[in-house]
Amino acid sequence: MSEQHLGAITVNQAGYPSSGEKLAKFTGETSRYQVIDAATGNVVFTGQTGIYVEDKPSGCRVHTGDFSALTLPGKYRIEGAAGERSAAFVIADKPYYELQQGLLKAFYYYRCGTQLDGDYAGAWGHKACHLAEGTVIGQPELKRDSSGGWHDAGDYGKYSGPGAKAVADLLLAWELYPAAFAGVHTLPESDGVMPDILLECRVELDWLFKMQETGSGGVYHKLTTQHFPGLDVMPEEDTAELYFSPVSATATGDFAGVMAMAARIYQPFDEAYAARCLEAARTAWSWLTAHPHVPGFTNPPGITTGEYGDEVDSDERFWAAAELFRTTGDEQFHGAARELAKLPFPKYSLGWGDMGGYGTLAYLLQGEAGTDPSLYAELREGLLAEAGRLLRQSREDGYRISLLEEDYIWGSNMLVMNNAMLLLIAEHVSGEPEYAACALDHLHYLLGRNVLGISYVSGFGEHSVMHPHHRPSVGDHVLDPVPGLVAGGPDRGLHDEYVREHLQGKPAAQCYADHEDSYSTNEVTIYWNSPAVFVTARFNC
């Protein structure tokens, strides 16, 4: 799609569950509408939109059309009284099955250091890349194996913290919704024993092992070239020297957290691998305890790739302690988690910079009987209060999501999916179905029920992202982009030259451009895909 579709009638272009609520969003005047069977052209439902909401983020008056009474599986469109037409959508028992597989398969396409080809890669294969050893900054004589893992985003950098966040989301999806991943064999490694999602996570975990400094247990912050390559450079053509940036406390805390989680989850499938993960987590924890006060990471001189700087590491330490406690039951980790929980950091955030929510979730999933009753109650109450706030904001929003006008930032779709993930965790903790319904509204937004009428997932939906800021999608000269990639979404700050030139004065939710040069609205990353996998899995159980 080369132009934005400011949607007069917008729907989830992936579809709606047969038995669930089905809403479309309309801009303009209140009017009657018809749902049309796409195969026969017959009218199968007629409705009237409700009163409008003055929706400030989108800059529109937004009406809702409710066609929940339509439950017959099929493919449909909606037509308005003035001839407006929605994108096509399906109604099915499990309309998000293929979407979930595509969101997960995207991680295969992000793989580094291996050739992607044959039936697994389709049109989007490429040769093995980034196989050279990397140089440790500050120790020019020290070279290390740097291959493997996932490229982080539209570039080819690899980052310990964001990688750990992505793996954590996927492992949690498996842990909470294992039925959603049954019977799927789409990877070269698929063996019918270990689920594909765990096979794919192992790709990144194996690389993370290489990021742990020999001897100290600290974890290098990132592995990149000095500068980003050109936008049309394929992975195998990016041959500049690779550098391990220095160890950071945030990377080490994230590493300890995700390795402790992996030790628990892989134990039934591969005891030796689980033991290796746990030993790596313990070694990283030893580094953290030996370095209680560490300055935040900043790019070393000469390195201009993404910094992922973070001045506060108490949230990552909390996650590490809580996860190690959950996996081992060791009171030393429990005591550390209780002490760290007293510090003033966000405890319900799931972003790469604020990882406290993962520590909270690890503690709550341990169960009340095995934890400090007062801390458990405090964290549970706080989680449900935050979920309640998101629920209230969503009910006031024209498109039924939890973003305020100021929340349309660089990577706003990460907030959309992280918030949906938090809502689903609240459902898991409380058993209240209203949280899941609200989370599903966030998925509807991502897949096209938004003011622009665009599905922010490449390859899914009639009007989906076509020109992501993603080097393989630009450099491979294939018409369609790599499928299953979640784009960043509207950014009211207009942080790149393309959107500054083309989107001045637009409302917050319209500050998006489906253009390869718009890195602030149309880049893709592993940690925008990962919460989308979690959310989609919930609705495929």
Side-chain angles (χ1 to χ4, degrees):
M1 186 181 72
S2 60
E3 64 182 49
Q4 294 180 351
H5 291 257
L6 187 58
I9 307 175
T10 59
V11 296
N12 181 334
Q13 295 170 33
Y16 297 85
S18 301
S19 60
E21 183 181 58
K22 304 172 193 69
L23 304 180
K25 293 294 180 175
F26 297 72
T27 56
E29 299 302 318
T30 304
S31 67
R32 297 191 66 77
Y33 63 91
Q34 299 175 329
V35 181
I36 310 295
D37 186 311
T40 65
N42 295 333
V43 175
V44 296
F45 182 87
T46 301
Q48 175 85 25
T49 60
I51 60 173
Y52 67 81
V53 172
E54 199 73 64
D55 188 57
K56 191 174 181 182
S58 67
C60 295
R61 290 182 171 180
V62 182
H63 307 257
T64 300
D66 187 337
F67 56 103
S68 303
L70 179 60
T71 61
L72 183 67
K75 187 174 183 179
Y76 302 95
R77 292 183 185 275
I78 298 176
E79 292 186 359
E84 318 95 306
R85 289 162 55 90
S86 76
F89 60 92
V90 300
I91 293 176
D93 289 340
K94 288 190 176 180
Y96 311 125
Y97 178 81
E98 290 184 2
L99 171 65
Q100 179 191 314
Q101 306 318 316
L103 290 166
L104 181 58
K105 183 64 176 287
F107 289 89
Y108 169 79
Y109 290 116
Y110 276 118
R111 286 190 188 185
C112 179
T114 185
Q115 182 165 322
L116 308 186
D117 57 14
D119 294 339
Y120 298 103
W124 301 282
H126 61 74
K127 298 177 183 177
C129 59
H130 303 102
L131 298 174
E133 291 185 322
T135 300
V136 177
I137 292 175
Q139 303 177 70
E141 74 289 348
L142 181 57
K143 308 290 184 181
R144 294 177 61 98
D145 179 7
S146 67
S147 63
W150 301 320
H151 299 138
D152 174 67
D155 60 89
Y156 302 129
K158 295 184 286 189
Y159 303 82
S160 298
K165 183 256 192 295
V167 172
D169 292 342
L170 298 182
L171 294 182
L172 285 167
W174 160 254
E175 187 172 18
L176 268 63
Y177 312 119
F181 300 96
V184 178
H185 306 109
T186 62
L187 300 176
E189 302 85 358
S190 297
D191 58 8
V193 178
M194 185 178 290
D196 275 10
I197 190 168
L198 299 189
L199 290 168
E200 192 59 64
C201 286
R202 192 163 173 164
V203 170
E204 183 76 349
L205 290 166
D206 286 348
W207 171 76
L208 282 169
F209 283 130
K210 299 177 182 181
M211 295 299 285
Q212 189 167 37
E213 186 177 50
T214 304
S216 79
V219 176
Y220 298 113
H221 192 81
K222 65 176 187 172
L223 174 71
T224 70
T225 53
Q226 286 185 301
H227 314 290
F228 290 131
L231 190 54
D232 62 350
V233 173
M234 289 295 288
E236 63 269 28
E237 297 167 354
D238 181 31
T239 57
E241 187 168 0
L242 292 160
Y243 292 91
F244 290 85
S245 286
V247 166
S248 73
T250 51
T252 306
D254 286 336
F255 177 96
V258 79
M259 285 295 174
M261 179 188 291
R264 185 175 65 253
I265 289 175
Y266 283 86
Q267 202 278 335
F269 300 97
D270 188 333
E271 290 185 8
Y273 192 77
R276 184 185 178 196
C277 290
L278 183 55
E279 179 60 26
R282 287 182 179 274
T283 306
W285 180 258
S286 295
W287 185 94
L288 291 169
T289 57
H291 299 82
H293 305 292
V294 183
F297 177 85
T298 55
N299 266 342
I303 301 291
T304 63
T305 51
E307 185 173 78
Y308 287 103
D310 186 355
E311 292 296 325
V312 177
D313 59 34
S314 50
D315 50 327
E316 287 85 4
R317 291 172 186 266
F318 174 59
W319 179 32
E323 209 69 71
L324 277 161
F325 169 58
R326 187 176 178 215
T327 297
T328 67
D330 192 325
E331 270 302 312
Q332 71 158 315
F333 301 123
H334 193 192
R338 289 198 301 265
E339 289 302 309
L340 286 160
K342 297 175 183 178
L343 299 177
F345 59 85
K347 296 183 176 63
Y348 311 103
S349 172
L350 301 172
W352 64 262
D354 292 314
M355 298 288 285
Y358 294 95
T360 293
L361 182 55
Y363 200 77
L364 293 177
L365 289 177
Q366 177 73 357
E368 187 173 8
T371 55
D372 180 309
S374 61
L375 179 56
Y376 182 93
E378 176 187 335
L379 293 176
R380 184 180 187 278
E381 181 181 347
L383 173 70
L384 296 180
E386 176 62 10
R389 182 183 70 84
L390 298 177
L391 194 65
R392 291 189 298 274
Q393 286 179 190
S394 300
R395 287 170 174 168
E396 295 175 1
D397 182 78
Y399 288 91
R400 291 168 65 109
I401 63 167
S402 55
L403 268 58
L404 301 174
E405 187 176 21
E406 58 267 26
D407 295 327
Y408 286 86
I409 59 171
W410 192 331
S412 62
N413 281 340
M414 179 184 72
L415 293 183
V416 173
M417 286 294 99
N418 282 352
N419 288 357
M421 187 172 168
L422 189 79
L423 287 159
L424 291 175
I425 292 166
E427 180 207 22
H428 183 83
V429 169
S430 70
E432 293 296 330
E434 63 181 352
Y435 296 121
C438 188
L440 184 54
D441 279 328
H442 288 64
L443 189 64
H444 291 326
Y445 168 92
L446 188 75
L447 272 296
R449 205 178 71 185
N450 53 65
V451 68
L452 298 178
I454 186 171
S455 167
Y456 288 115
V457 182
S458 61
F460 288 86
E462 186 174 324
H463 302 307
S464 62
V465 171
M466 283 295 292
H467 306 286
H469 182 87
H470 178 240
R471 282 164 176 78
S473 292
V474 175
D476 64 8
H477 304 298
V478 177
L479 178 62
D480 292 326
V482 171
L485 307 178
V486 176
D491 171 23
R492 68 195 294 260
L494 303 181
H495 284 108
D496 64 66
E497 291 181 5
Y498 184 88
V499 292
R500 280 196 294 271
E501 180 180 350
H502 293 88
L503 299 180
Q504 290 291 341
K506 293 285 188 182
Q510 294 187 38
C511 290
Y512 167 82
D514 184 13
H515 195 283
E516 64 193 38
D517 290 337
S518 182
Y519 52 83
S520 70
T521 75
N522 213 32
E523 193 168 8
V524 296
T525 80
I526 54 175
Y527 55 87
W528 296 343
N529 260 72
S530 56
V533 171
F534 180 98
V535 173
T536 309
R538 161 60 181 82
F539 300 104
N540 279 329
C541 292

